[in-house]
């Protein structure tokens, strides 16, 4: 119940983009059979102090898949990391929160420039069904994955907390000091 330390720590860093990190619901809410049941479960005081947002509900099926996989195959826990694009962009920006939303021309241009400085392509074609900001988010996650693969990933919190099943709970990024100047 309540907010995970990872979300609290990351939201505090993001400035005006803090709402983009929505709270992860309790496992019982994530496993609810539908959105109405998830909302009803979330209203129980022992569950969590918030209702799941529509964007959170939209990714519940993926959260269930990852949760089940990590519980069934514990060896994968060291290889699966939660990443948040806005935290990645903050790191690519030397630790400074970005001033504009990714959905504005200014915000998208800044994110493309940060990706280019990190050596990542920013002019790729947007996959069918995706939005341009989805591609930028995926490339930011790739920058974090590259840092993790090179042993330089940074978790929030450090060390990661563990949930009731012993699964690590952290949001990962790359070190601010490694962000391009």
């Amino acid at each position: 119940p309540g907010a995970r330390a990872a979300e609290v720590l990351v939201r505090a860093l993001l400035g005006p983009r803090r709402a983009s990190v929505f709270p992860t619901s309790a496992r019982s809410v994530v496993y609810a059979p539908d959105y109405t049941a998830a909302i009803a479960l979330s209203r129980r005081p022992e569950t969590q102090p918030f209702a799941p947002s529509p964007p959170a509900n939209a990714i519940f099926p993926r959260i269930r898949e990852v949760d089940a996989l990590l519980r069934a195959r514990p060896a994968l826990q060291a290889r699966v990391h939660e990443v948040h694009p806005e935290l990645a962009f903050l790191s690519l920006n030397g630790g400074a929160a970005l001033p504009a939303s990714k959905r504005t021309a200014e915000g998208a241009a800044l994110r493309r420039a940060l990706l280019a400085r990190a050596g990542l392509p920013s002019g790729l074609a947007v996959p069918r069904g995706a939005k341009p900001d989805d591609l930028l988010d995926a490339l930011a996650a790739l920058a974090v994955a590259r840092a993790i693969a090179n042993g330089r990933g940074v978790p929030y919190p450090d060390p990661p907390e563990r949930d009731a099943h012993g699964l690590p709970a952290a949001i990962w990024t790359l070190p601010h000091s490694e962000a391009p100047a």
Side-chain angles (χ1 to χ4, degrees), residues 33-171:
D34 57 45
Y35 191 44
T36 302
I39 291 171
L41 276 169
S42 72
R43 291 195 171 129
R44 294 181 183 169
E46 71 278 5
T47 305
Q48 64 188 41
F50 58 88
S53 67
N57 182 63
I59 65 170
F60 283 176
R62 297 293 178 249
I63 292 172
R64 289 190 296 267
E65 288 176 19
V66 171
D67 182 56
L69 182 66
L70 293 178
R71 287 166 60 189
R73 297 177 57 194
L76 292 179
Q77 292 175 23
R79 299 181 64 195
V80 176
H81 297 79
E82 181 179 351
V83 174
H84 193 280
E86 283 302 315
L87 180 61
F89 282 119
L90 175 137
S91 296
L92 290 170
N93 199 36
L98 277 64
S101 165
K102 64 184 181 180
R103 292 192 179 98
T104 67
E106 174 190 357
L110 175 56
R111 285 161 177 78
R112 282 192 300 275
L114 291 169
L115 291 168
R117 286 187 1 214
L120 293 169
S122 60
L124 298 174
V126 177
R128 187 175 34 157
K131 296 178 184 167
D133 60 286
D134 295 330
L135 177 61
L136 296 175
D137 286 351
L139 291 169
L142 176 60
V144 176
R146 187 171 61 184
I148 292 168
N150 290 323
R152 297 187 314 270
V154 177
Y156 284 85
D158 188 8
E161 62 185 348
R162 299 264 173 188
D163 72 6
H165 292 275
L167 299 179
I171 299 174

Side-chain angles (χ1 to χ4, degrees), residues 22-41:
F22 47 83
T24 302
S25 291
R27 189 173 269 110
S28 61
V29 174
V30 169
Y31 278 89
D34 57 45
Y35 191 44
T36 302
I39 291 171
L41 276 169

